Amino acid sequence: MSEKPENRIKRLKMRSMRRGIKEMDIILSAYAGRELERMDDAQITLYDALLDENDQDLYSWVTGQTMAPPQFRDLLANIAQTFQK
């Protein structure tokens, strides 16, 4: 049985809050709370894949210290903008 959309969003919000490092907890939980419910299925699937990545890598990508993998670049640019506004 596939996961209901509302359950998937709730699960991803929890995964966004419970990271390995506090900085990523803050960044990703703010982004998830603001954006997840507006995303389509493909965007949610990509975000789900992003959450499987290592926190140190994620932090380096979102802060622009290193280049993110191509599949995540647009998503990470959106996440980074959450804190530039």
Side-chain angles (χ1 to χ4, degrees), residues 8-61:
R8 187 177 191 196
I9 288 171
K10 185 176 180 179
R11 176 179 57 80
L12 292 175
K13 284 182 179 180
M14 287 301 296
R15 287 187 66 203
S16 298
M17 285 189 279
R18 308 273 189 219
R19 303 298 305 175
I21 60 174
K22 190 65 173 170
E23 293 86 352
M24 291 314 301
D25 292 349
I26 294 166
I27 292 168
L28 293 177
S29 65
Y31 179 78
R34 191 174 111 181
E35 299 293 333
L36 274 179
E37 293 182 12
R38 296 192 278 183
M39 291 177 158
D40 63 28
D41 191 52
Q43 292 169 317
I44 290 173
T45 297
L46 183 63
Y47 185 75
D48 198 359
L50 180 74
L51 294 181
D52 288 335
E53 298 294 328
N54 178 291
D55 269 0
Q56 286 75 20
D57 291 337
L58 285 173
Y59 187 76
S60 177
W61 298 336

